Amino acid sequence: MVLLAVAGYLVVQYVTGGSGGPGCKVVSGKGDGASYEFSPEQAVNAATITAVGTARGLPERAVTIALATALQESALRNIDHGDRDSLGLFQQRPSQGWGTPKEIMDPTYSAREFYEHLVKVPGYTRLPLTVAAQRVQRSGFPQAYAKHEPDAALLAAALTGQSAATLTCEGRPGATRASGPDGVRAALVRDFGRDVLASAGAEVGGSPAAGPAPSPSGTAGTGGRTVTLPVTADPGSTTGRSPDRRGWQLAHWAVAHASELHIARVTYAGREWVAGNTASQWRDSPAKGTAGAERDADAVRIVTMG
């Protein structure tokens, strides 16, 4: 019975992305050794919060404030409980006008509502993070947000594309969302809006951009399909985000969703990430130094496992 209980616990941890499940890691792009480790569930939610913010043209500081708030309120998990009627990533309350329970439990909606309130705070980008977050949340513990600022800043730098090749995940496939190109495209639209596909001219191909797609075990396999996202200037940006930053945002977004969407490989700017293990790193793409390298510089390629 003890062995069965342990086995059951490990299965739950694996599926939910807990301490026994596959992991993600973000490192500092400044070379100072700072890092933050988190679960695939947290990675998906952080990527969604970031995408909603940048789709509105908001600066990286807004994203950092939102991520620190969600880290404090829910540990970046979309929980269906909390103090009184609080729900979701930001522990928003239906009774306080944040929306219906169903709406609040939608991460895209809850992130959008947080930003709607944040942008109404005068000079929020210049305020201490605790002050800006508290003006939105009105928490009983306003100073609690401060301890999450370093981790939130690391996540924001990677997920807005400011820091290149700094976010990795194990990428072991889960079973919570449809896989394949259709699942990837639907998730992109959910997080960024329809412009992410229309403006980029996203294409779907029948074969990977750089060799065969890995199988779920991490060994070479066949059958992968590629979603190609040409990288142009960020259509929602009013803050001068370059195409390169836009590309790294999309690439890191794909890595964050790897387990959920069965993504096997992500290629951009001569670098690639391949699913397989927690030590997975961005490395030089096999196309680097060939005719394919120029093509990889202006498009993000997301290879699915089927």
Side-chain angles (χ1 to χ4, degrees), residues 23-81:
C24 299
K25 184 177 182 180
V26 61
V27 299
S28 172
K30 301 176 182 178
D32 55 12
S35 65
Y36 174 63
E37 296 185 19
F38 52 116
S39 73
E41 176 190 1
Q42 292 171 304
V44 168
N45 290 327
T48 292
I49 290 169
T50 303
V52 171
T54 58
R56 286 186 55 123
L58 299 180
E60 188 177 323
R61 179 63 175 171
V63 173
T64 300
I65 295 168
L67 290 171
T69 302
L71 279 165
Q72 170 59 28
E73 298 291 353
S74 67
L76 277 173
R77 291 185 168 88
N78 196 29
I79 54 179
D80 61 359
H81 58 274

Side-chain angles (χ1 to χ4, degrees), residues 11-23 38-42 77:
V11 168
V12 170
Q13 292 294 302
Y14 178 89
V15 171
T16 63
S19 59
F38 52 116
S39 73
E41 176 190 1
Q42 292 171 304
R77 291 185 168 88

Side-chain angles (χ1 to χ4, degrees), residues 29-289:
K30 301 176 182 178
D32 55 12
S35 65
Y36 174 63
E37 296 185 19
F38 52 116
S39 73
E41 176 190 1
Q42 292 171 304
V44 168
N45 290 327
T48 292
I49 290 169
T50 303
V52 171
T54 58
R56 286 186 55 123
L58 299 180
E60 188 177 323
R61 179 63 175 171
V63 173
T64 300
I65 295 168
L67 290 171
T69 302
L71 279 165
Q72 170 59 28
E73 298 291 353
S74 67
L76 277 173
R77 291 185 168 88
N78 196 29
I79 54 179
D80 61 359
H81 58 274
D83 179 46
R84 287 170 282 190
D85 60 339
S86 299
L87 297 169
L89 291 172
F90 295 93
Q91 290 291 278
Q92 294 157 337
R93 299 180 59 192
S95 64
Q96 300 301 307
W98 286 95
T100 67
K102 182 178 180 180
E103 287 173 332
I104 292 171
M105 288 300 295
D106 176 354
T108 303
Y109 173 91
S110 64
R112 186 167 59 243
E113 285 299 298
F114 179 86
Y115 288 121
E116 286 283 354
H117 287 72
L118 180 64
V119 297
K120 294 176 183 177
V121 176
Y124 74 89
T125 59
R126 300 186 299 274
L127 294 174
L129 186 145
T130 53
V131 175
Q134 177 63 1
R135 295 276 177 87
V136 176
Q137 298 294 109
R138 307 203 179 276
S139 168
F141 306 94
Q143 296 305 314
Y145 301 113
K147 65 179 179 286
H148 299 290
E149 185 166 2
D151 295 334
L154 284 177
L155 285 169
L159 290 168
T160 62
Q162 173 67 26
S163 296
T166 53
L167 189 148
T168 60
C169 288
E170 181 178 26
R172 189 178 299 162
T176 58
R177 190 175 296 278
S179 61
D182 288 344
V184 172
R185 290 165 67 99
L188 281 163
V189 170
R190 176 200 68 201
D191 285 3
F192 291 94
R194 295 191 179 278
D195 285 349
V196 72
L197 298 182
S199 63
E203 301 174 355
V204 177
S207 60
S215 67
S217 66
T219 58
T222 60
R225 298 186 67 195
T226 304
V227 177
T228 301
L229 298 171
V231 175
T232 58
D234 187 345
S237 177
T238 59
T239 57
R241 278 163 41 86
S242 67
D244 186 59
R245 286 187 62 180
R246 175 69 165 176
W248 278 112
Q249 176 175 22
L250 293 170
H252 283 151
W253 177 94
V255 171
H257 284 78
S259 291
E260 186 180 49
L261 297 177
H262 294 203
I263 292 170
R265 176 185 283 113
V266 181
T267 305
Y268 177 61
R271 307 290 295 279
E272 72 169 8
W273 167 90
V274 179
N277 56 73
T278 53
S280 180
Q281 299 292 320
W282 285 91
R283 62 192 185 190
D284 287 347
S285 167
K288 189 171 184 178

